Amino acid sequence: QVAKSIQAEAHHTSGLCVALALAFIAYLLFHRFFTRHRVLKRYLWWLQPLGPLIVVIVGALMLGNSPYLQSKLKYVGHIPEGMPPARVPITSEMLGRVFPTAFGAFVVGDMEAIAIGKGLADKHGYSIDSTQELLAQGVANLVGSFFSCYTATGSFSRSAVNDMVGGKTQLAALISALVVMFTLLFLTSWFFWVPKFALAAIVITSVIPLVDVGSAIQLFKMSKKDFVVWLTAASLVMF
């Protein structure tokens, strides 16, 4: 379905957007290499988490001061201010209608959270408790349902961004949540001109390190059949 969507929308591709996105991707990759260099990181460690922020600020300044770019590129636009009101998320009459969809979202969300969690655990050499992860997601979604929140799960893109900027503990998630809340209350107008290609560049460069090419090569050497299974699964997930 993703491949069909790409094919159907390919004629809408903007060369300017692609060029700027590639430029931002190149900068983010250079920023990561430069700030994590074995010699320079002793002095520039504080710059490591600022790469995505720099891209967002530069992109917003570009669009905010260029009517030409505003007419050619897509940007975030208006974001409603304030927190959503608290209310009872569901009534007994609605339960039968939403249960199949909710159960499907739960299964997919839990699999996604475990997948990204184990991927990061293998990368950094620690283990995760699947039961604890499930409990945390359940509590988060139960509380969030009273505020019309999007289903909470282990996002590949956000987890990759968090890992890229050096997040190691739950404190990173807490700070992120507080910043989002503060932004919704007071700073939504600041994000009006943030270009979508800048956000795409951040996600792409953050997800790249999660693709374990080394393990795929090792699997290919050990078992061609298992490698075909891996390649098929990866292709189905992406396309």
Side-chain angles (χ1 to χ4, degrees):
Q1 186 176 0
V2 174
K4 290 181 179 179
S5 176
I6 293 174
Q7 184 179 6
E9 299 295 330
H11 63 284
H12 293 304
T13 302
S14 167
L16 176 62
C17 182
V18 172
L20 289 172
L22 290 176
F24 276 35
I25 290 174
Y27 166 74
L28 287 169
L29 293 175
F30 172 77
H31 179 94
R32 180 188 302 167
F33 171 79
F34 189 71
T35 57
R36 296 186 180 184
H37 189 274
R38 60 182 181 180
V39 176
L40 298 176
K41 68 179 181 180
R42 295 178 54 188
Y43 310 100
L44 301 176
W45 59 267
W46 56 275
L47 276 176
Q48 290 185 14
L50 299 182
L53 180 61
I54 293 172
V55 164
V56 168
I57 292 175
V58 171
L61 290 174
M62 287 172 55
L63 261 72
N65 293 282
S66 174
Y68 174 76
L69 292 180
Q70 295 169 17
S71 65
K72 296 293 183 180
L73 303 173
K74 292 185 178 181
Y75 44 88
V76 172
H78 175 69
I79 302 175
E81 292 184 352
M83 298 289 290
R87 59 183 178 182
V88 178
I90 192 173
T91 63
S92 57
E93 293 79 10
M94 298 170 57
L95 185 60
R97 289 182 296 169
V98 303
F99 179 79
T101 303
F103 183 77
F106 152 72
V107 173
V108 174
D110 185 53
M111 292 176 61
E112 183 179 5
I114 296 300
I116 185 65
K118 287 189 174 181
L120 293 174
D122 291 341
K123 178 181 177 182
H124 296 291
Y126 63 88
S127 60
I128 61 172
D129 186 341
S130 300
T131 303
Q132 186 66 28
E133 290 289 326
L134 184 60
L135 176 62
Q137 286 188 68
V139 173
N141 282 303
L142 179 63
V143 175
S145 65
F146 288 90
F147 298 92
S148 303
C149 291
Y150 190 79
T151 304
T153 182
S155 167
F156 279 91
S157 56
R158 285 182 54 82
S159 299
V161 171
N162 184 68
D163 181 62
M164 183 184 72
V165 300
K168 301 296 183 184
T169 69
Q170 297 293 348
L171 181 62
L174 177 61
I175 294 175
S176 177
L178 292 175
V179 170
V180 169
M181 183 175 68
F182 184 80
T183 300
L184 285 174
L185 293 174
F186 307 108
L187 303 178
T188 55
S189 60
W190 291 23
F191 291 84
F192 188 91
W193 294 116
V194 173
K196 292 187 176 181
F197 71 80
L199 302 179
I202 293 172
V203 172
I204 291 172
T205 53
S206 301
V207 171
I208 288 175
L210 297 181
V211 181
D212 194 350
V213 179
S215 296
I217 295 174
Q218 184 178 7
L219 187 62
F220 177 79
K221 294 179 179 179
M222 294 175 58
S223 173
K224 302 295 189 297
K225 292 182 179 179
D226 288 343
F227 175 77
V228 171
V229 173
W230 177 90
L231 186 63
T232 302
S235 300
L236 290 174
V237 169
M238 291 187 291
F239 302 108

